[in-house]
Amino acid sequence: MKEHAGSYVLVLTVGTGNRDDLEGSLYSPLIKSISTGHWDHVVLLPSQSTVEQAVELKKRIHTSPVKIRPIPDHGDENDADACFTHFDSVLGGTIADGFSPAQITLDFTRGTKAMSAALVLAGVGREIPVLRYIQGMRGRTGSVQPGTEKIREVRTEAASARQQLDQAERLMKRGAFEAVCALHNDRHPLPDTVPRELRNKFESFGAVADIYAAWDRFDFSGAAAKLEKYLQRAGAFTPTPDMEDWIATLSREVVPAKYAETALHLRHLVCDILASAERRLRDGHYEDAGIRCYRVLELVGQVRLFDRGYDSSCLPGDDPKVEGFQKKQRKKKRNPLSENTSKELQGTFKAARNQVAFFLSFLGDPLAKKLIMFGESEEHVKARNVGILIHGFEAKAARLGTQRLEEHICKLEALLLEDDPGAAKRLAVARSLDFSGT
């Protein structure tokens, strides 16, 4: 696409005018509009019945190249939809030729009301910032009297900003926070011609979407840093005090050696991951939802081990209970714990998800049996390792169906509540990032 930097285009509708005075009612006003400003190209939009007038007008224009783009069918000048389709196509072609919307001005003075309305709508839809029309004293026929014409301009930025805000709101409700950020960055800053209220709301949407995008991708420290700078309110999307506390809590550093603190932190995190799985399911990202569900199940076991003073990634080899568990694993012909190979963790073992569940059973944990059965019976757990995002070559979660994935998530929620009834409040905050019901 060739760009036409510094070039400007004027697009005008061409009506019938007063046939008894085409000079005063049509040619003279349009020539005045064309002579007001510098145009590298002029595009005339007549109907089939005013092509002749457009051809005559073209003969009189010597300052710029002129194209005539008539509405294709007779009578369509009174069909706003047909006019819009044609005008939008012409504007789209002009933009495709390398002219930005800011380089185009539309004059909707002449033509039928349907033509004028269609050109205005097409212009706003294409984000053309300047429309113009000819105003003046009107005579007995209703036409502007020759010699009294004045060019008036209308800025469309406020209407475009309103459209962008509506689009941003729809995207927020769908959880497309990164898309809102991109929309904001593309349009920032809105011009001063946009009312301050709309500008402020647009900025607040961009700022809050940036926070939620970070939260949604588990960048809690990034979300917390952005939240500190957040000043504007974004209506129903404004972070609540509970949401702010949630982000602050999850942004804190995890120190596994502090077992009780880590267990509490992970109980927040597991709720956030389950809520994230629900959002991925909502958006049709079934494999992503399935992996998050697996991590939820894995975390429940790790949390309950931290409650007992054990880190599943660093189990001390000289601990009597770890030694006893290793013996039992061998006796039952199950895989023993794997030894950590790094120097820093020498003499310690790591436990996989199912080993954590069996170790909890060995320790007498009341939830251990359910964790074991969950891993052995749930198809989504079995499908995780052979899914396309881990070791397999096919999308397994999607093939199991959305209903079964929903049921799987419900079972996980029940597991969280059995682990700790306080999970209900935590889940409510984690789920507040879903605005689809707003």
Side-chain angles (χ1 to χ4, degrees):
M1 182 182 74
K2 182 180 178 182
E3 293 186 0
H4 297 275
S7 297
Y8 295 91
V9 181
L10 178 63
V11 181
L12 310 94
T13 50
V14 180
T16 57
N18 181 355
R19 296 194 181 277
D20 294 330
D21 184 17
L22 285 177
E23 188 64 40
S25 66
L26 184 66
Y27 299 133
S28 178
L30 291 182
I31 290 294
K32 181 168 185 176
S33 181
I34 294 167
S35 64
T36 304
H38 172 73
W39 313 109
D40 300 277
H41 299 271
V42 172
V43 180
L44 302 178
L45 303 174
S47 65
Q48 286 295 319
S49 60
T50 60
V51 170
E52 184 180 343
Q53 288 91 320
V55 171
E56 175 61 27
L57 194 59
K58 180 178 180 178
K59 292 177 182 177
R60 300 180 180 212
I61 300 170
H62 307 293
T63 55
S64 312
V66 178
K67 294 180 180 179
I68 300 175
R69 296 288 183 264
I71 300 169
D73 296 323
H74 284 282
D76 276 357
E77 64 269 23
N78 294 308
D79 184 333
D81 289 334
C83 292
F84 175 86
T85 299
H86 177 64
F87 297 162
D88 180 66
S89 176
V90 171
L91 295 179
T94 304
I95 293 168
D97 285 342
F99 296 96
S100 72
Q103 293 173 283
I104 303 171
T105 296
L106 309 181
D107 188 323
F108 59 92
T109 303
R110 291 294 178 262
T112 64
K113 286 184 171 63
M115 290 170 66
S116 296
L119 187 59
V120 170
L121 290 173
V124 172
R126 292 286 181 175
E127 297 185 10
I128 292 172
V130 182
L131 310 179
R132 63 163 51 176
Y133 63 96
I134 299 170
Q135 183 186 39
M137 295 180 62
R138 296 187 179 274
R140 288 180 301 160
T141 61
S143 298
V144 174
Q145 294 181 0
T148 69
E149 303 96 338
K150 292 182 180 178
I151 306 297
R152 301 292 188 188
E153 291 192 343
V154 180
R155 307 292 302 192
T156 67
E157 288 96 339
S160 295
R162 179 70 264 170
Q163 284 184 322
Q164 289 153 16
L165 272 173
D166 291 343
Q167 184 180 7
E169 186 169 358
R170 287 192 295 272
L171 290 169
M172 291 283 281
K173 289 180 178 180
R174 289 300 304 166
F177 305 119
E178 289 289 357
V180 178
C181 292
L183 177 64
H184 173 266
N185 293 338
D186 287 346
R187 307 302 183 203
H188 173 79
L190 291 178
D192 292 340
T193 51
V194 175
R196 179 174 297 184
E197 180 183 353
L198 289 182
R199 279 185 284 141
N200 289 345
K201 195 170 183 180
F202 187 72
E203 291 302 318
S204 69
F205 270 35
V208 78
D210 205 20
I211 296 167
Y212 293 148
W215 176 1
D216 192 46
R217 61 176 176 265
F218 306 122
D219 179 12
F220 304 115
S221 58
K226 297 173 192 297
L227 192 56
E228 286 182 6
K229 300 175 183 178
Y230 179 74
L231 298 175
Q232 298 122 322
R233 296 184 60 79
F237 305 111
T238 303
T240 65
D242 284 343
M243 294 167 83
E244 293 180 10
D245 290 343
W246 184 261
I247 292 171
T249 297
L250 286 173
S251 68
R252 294 179 191 132
E253 184 181 0
V254 179
V255 183
K258 297 180 178 179
Y259 300 122
E261 288 183 17
T262 300
L264 180 59
H265 182 95
L266 294 183
R267 282 191 166 97
H268 284 80
L269 180 61
V270 73
C271 289
D272 200 83
I273 295 173
L274 186 64
S276 177
E278 291 171 338
R279 295 194 299 274
R280 295 302 172 270
L281 174 59
R282 174 201 68 192
D283 296 337
H285 301 306
Y286 305 123
E287 298 302 303
D288 290 342
I291 287 177
R292 282 161 170 77
C293 288
Y294 185 94
R295 182 61 179 134
V296 167
L297 179 64
E298 186 175 47
L299 268 172
V300 173
Q302 291 175 306
V303 165
R304 293 184 77 83
L305 269 190
F306 274 114
D307 283 339
R308 287 157 178 75
Y310 292 101
D311 179 352
S312 64
S313 68
C314 184
L315 297 169
D318 57 358
D319 183 275
K321 292 180 180 177
V322 174
E323 290 177 342
F325 177 68
Q326 286 284 69
K327 290 178 183 178
K328 185 174 182 179
Q329 286 290 94
R330 292 189 181 97
K331 185 178 179 180
K332 294 284 187 179
K333 295 184 179 181
R334 291 195 293 256
N335 290 331
L337 300 172
S338 302
E339 189 172 354
N340 283 309
T341 56
S342 66
K343 275 188 177 182
E344 297 81 4
L345 298 176
Q346 194 170 4
T348 66
F349 296 91
K350 55 187 175 181
R353 179 197 54 76
N354 62 332
Q355 291 173 321
V356 168
F358 281 112
F359 186 35
L360 285 169
S361 178
F362 181 79
L363 297 174
D365 187 289
L367 204 57
K369 185 176 181 181
K370 194 162 281 189
L371 289 172
I372 293 169
M373 291 177 62
F374 209 110
E376 292 177 347
S377 63
E378 286 294 308
E379 290 176 285
H380 283 285
V381 178
K382 294 178 181 179
R384 177 258 190 185
N385 282 337
V386 293
I388 197 168
L389 295 180
I390 305 297
H391 302 301
F393 306 108
E394 293 181 305
K396 295 293 185 180
R399 292 181 66 180
L400 288 171
T402 58
Q403 183 178 345
R404 287 160 80 179
L405 188 51
E406 287 173 357
E407 292 170 354
H408 185 58
I409 288 175
C410 288
K411 291 178 182 178
L412 286 172
E413 180 178 357
L415 192 67
L416 295 188
L417 293 171
E418 190 170 348
D419 167 64
D420 177 17
K425 289 185 178 179
R426 289 192 286 271
L427 276 170
V429 182
R431 286 167 170 161
S432 65
L433 191 55
D434 183 357
F435 296 101
S436 58
T438 303

